[in-house]
Amino acid sequence: MRFHGYFRSSSSYRCRIACNLKGVEYDFVSVHLTRDGGEQKGAGYKALNPQGLVPAFELDGGEVLTQSPAILEWLDETCPEPKLLPDDPVERAHVRAFCAVIACEIHPLQNLRVLQYLRGEYGQDQEGVEAWCQRWIGDGLAACEALLAKRPAQKFCFGDTPGMADVYLVPQVFSAARFKVDLGGMPNLRRIAEACNDLPAFAEAHPSQQPDAE
Amino acid sequence: MRFHGYFRSSSSYRCRIACNLKGVEYDFVSVHLTRDGGEQKGAGYKALNPQGLVPAFELDGGEVLTQSPAILEWLDETCPEPKLLPDDPVERAHVRAFCAVIACEIHPLQNLRVLQYLRGEYGQDQEGVEAWCQRWIGDGLAACEALLAKRPAQKFCFGDTPGMADVYLVPQVFSAARFKVDLGGMPNLRRIAEACNDLPAFAEAHPSQQPDAE
């Protein structure tokens, strides 16, 4: 399997963590999102993934999987150990809701092309871009914190072993730091992100540890 | 079960279609997103869903499910007929990727609170807001069209019966019309949306048919 990704992409980072947790091996292919106007927009990559986004998983049979939420569900269905989702349908829904807050409420708003639009069309400088990111990342992570605060505290988001929610949380906390989001009021998220980063599966997935890191 | 939603919310619309396809019954509770500054921000609703977003499914046992992607997976797991996702893991990944383009690339950018931010912070008027929506809805739906164009044409997105991709597509096509997005270059999406809207499960889920429609 070939994993087409980029060290700083949150959704690549999610997939790296999940592969590490499950012991899934792959050949990494770097797609540089900002060099030469973005390699993801080149004809070569777009033949693989017409949407021009990373990550893409190119399976040995030639099938190409895109969109990290779909890739992560596929990984959990085809490489079941350790399970990233619980068995109980209502618990699965709670975990997936936590993931969706990050995947559907936060991450799309801090995407490179959206920030480029804010700069180009609305004349926003770095400070303006950070204010935008702080608003959406801050609101979204506060919602995640509220979801966890309603439950008995556990070592990870939804249990004593890391799962799908942790896979989404850690890259988002990393992005929050990049955009100077204040996580002061989110003790559960900070504690859990720290516990995750103590594990090799998470530490080795960190952007700074990737072959294409700058 | 109580379905807390709003007639014009895309994610409520998705869940209505899925419930109709599966014959799931519920008591509808209207949460008006713009009246009195937004009922979803009131203490009553936030006690149910601290994130203050619709939809929320309040189960008979008292559990509250939020975030439409999580609710839709839960519906498909607990009310399996008719199935909204195919059995094959790679096909499931293709369907979920299509859904994620809508849920994670398009919909978050046209959310009410994001458009309010554009108006309030960047001084955008209706035309500016429409340009923003046209860019992201247009790009995202073009990606969806490209995904379908690679496959043999079928009556619905991924087969001869409607499934999860159609559940996401139809509300997004409805929003595209609201924001005057040109779907001229998307013949598959237009054809499939029309085929869906001919079915009672979709027609009865249309915003104009809801008790809280204006």
Side-chain angles (χ1 to χ4, degrees):
Chain A
M1 183 172 81
R2 284 149 63 99
F3 181 146
H4 301 259
Y6 181 58
F7 75 107
R8 203 151 50 199
S9 135
S10 269
S11 36
S12 299
Y13 190 178
R14 289 176 199 155
C15 293
R16 289 196 298 268
I17 298 168
C19 285
N20 290 353
L21 285 168
K22 289 177 176 288
V24 171
E25 296 192 348
Y26 52 79
D27 295 321
F28 174 69
V29 184
S30 166
V31 182
H32 199 293
L33 296 194
T34 58
R35 197 166 52 207
D36 301 331
E39 288 178 0
Q40 77 283 13
K41 296 178 195 161
Y45 188 69
K46 287 194 101 169
L48 194 80
N49 178 7
Q51 213 192 346
L53 296 173
V54 291
F57 274 30
E58 190 182 356
L59 307 188
D60 292 341
E63 290 272 1
V64 178
L65 308 186
T66 62
Q67 291 287 339
S68 65
I71 291 171
L72 292 166
E73 293 273 354
W74 172 83
L75 274 171
D76 210 36
E77 288 173 355
T78 56
C79 313
E81 295 303 326
K83 282 182 190 169
L84 299 181
L85 287 170
D87 289 328
D88 177 67
V90 168
E91 271 298 283
R92 289 165 77 83
H94 289 322
V95 173
R96 285 185 173 126
F98 183 98
C99 298
V101 173
I102 293 173
C104 305
E105 308 283 348
I106 304 177
H107 180 246
L109 293 157
Q110 60 161 68
N111 241 332
L112 181 61
R113 62 214 166 98
V114 172
L115 305 187
Q116 284 171 340
Y117 191 102
L118 300 184
R119 287 195 172 93
E121 300 291 324
Y122 301 151
Q124 293 299 303
D125 58 10
Q126 185 59 22
E127 201 179 325
V129 165
E130 283 176 6
W132 166 271
C133 290
Q134 286 162 8
R135 164 69 188 276
W136 307 118
I137 300 176
D139 277 9
L141 287 182
C144 290
E145 176 74 20
L147 289 172
L148 296 186
K150 287 197 302 184
R151 306 171 62 93
Q154 290 183 288
K155 183 166 182 191
F156 298 99
C157 288
F158 289 87
D160 292 321
T161 54
M164 196 68 93
D166 307 287
V167 164
Y168 279 78
L169 175 64
V170 166
Q172 191 56 62
V173 167
F174 171 78
S175 290
R178 278 182 66 208
F179 295 114
K180 303 176 189 158
V181 180
D182 180 10
L183 303 187
M186 307 177 196
N188 284 294
L189 299 189
R190 284 186 289 119
R191 172 182 59 74
I192 292 168
E194 207 168 300
C196 288
N197 285 323
D198 282 344
L199 301 176
F202 287 81
E204 291 165 11
H206 192 275
S208 66
Q209 302 305 302
Q210 304 317 305
D212 57 336
E214 282 162 6
Chain B
M1 183 172 80
R2 282 149 64 97
F3 181 147
H4 301 259
Y6 181 58
F7 75 106
R8 202 151 50 200
S9 136
S10 268
S11 35
S12 300
Y13 190 178
R14 289 175 199 157
C15 294
R16 288 196 299 267
I17 297 168
C19 285
N20 289 354
L21 285 168
K22 288 176 177 289
V24 170
E25 296 194 347
Y26 52 78
D27 295 320
F28 173 68
V29 185
S30 166
V31 183
H32 199 293
L33 297 194
T34 58
R35 197 166 50 207
D36 302 332
E39 289 178 0
Q40 77 282 15
K41 296 177 193 161
Y45 188 70
K46 287 196 100 167
L48 192 80
N49 178 6
Q51 212 192 345
L53 296 173
V54 292
F57 274 30
E58 190 181 355
L59 307 187
D60 292 340
E63 291 272 1
V64 178
L65 308 186
T66 61
Q67 291 287 337
S68 66
I71 291 171
L72 291 166
E73 292 273 355
W74 172 83
L75 273 171
D76 209 37
E77 288 173 354
T78 56
C79 313
E81 294 303 328
K83 282 181 190 171
L84 299 181
L85 287 170
D87 288 329
D88 177 66
V90 168
E91 271 298 285
R92 290 164 76 84
H94 289 322
V95 173
R96 284 183 173 128
F98 183 99
C99 298
V101 173
I102 293 172
C104 305
E105 309 283 348
I106 304 177
H107 180 247
L109 293 158
Q110 60 162 68
N111 239 331
L112 181 62
R113 62 215 166 98
V114 171
L115 305 187
Q116 284 170 341
Y117 191 101
L118 299 185
R119 287 194 171 92
E121 299 293 323
Y122 301 152
Q124 293 299 302
D125 58 11
Q126 185 60 19
E127 200 178 327
V129 164
E130 283 176 6
W132 166 273
C133 290
Q134 286 162 6
R135 165 67 189 275
W136 307 118
I137 299 175
D139 278 9
L141 288 182
C144 290
E145 176 74 18
L147 289 172
L148 296 186
K150 288 197 303 183
R151 307 171 61 92
Q154 291 182 286
K155 184 166 182 189
F156 299 99
C157 287
F158 289 86
D160 291 322
T161 53
M164 195 67 93
D166 308 288
V167 164
Y168 279 78
L169 175 64
V170 166
Q172 191 56 62
V173 167
F174 172 78
S175 291
R178 278 182 67 208
F179 295 115
K180 304 175 189 156
V181 180
D182 179 11
L183 302 188
M186 307 178 196
N188 284 293
L189 299 189
R190 282 185 289 120
R191 173 182 58 75
I192 292 168
E194 208 167 300
C196 288
N197 285 323
D198 282 343
L199 301 176
F202 287 82
E204 290 165 10
H206 192 275
S208 65
Q209 302 306 304
Q210 305 317 306
D212 57 337
E214 282 162 10

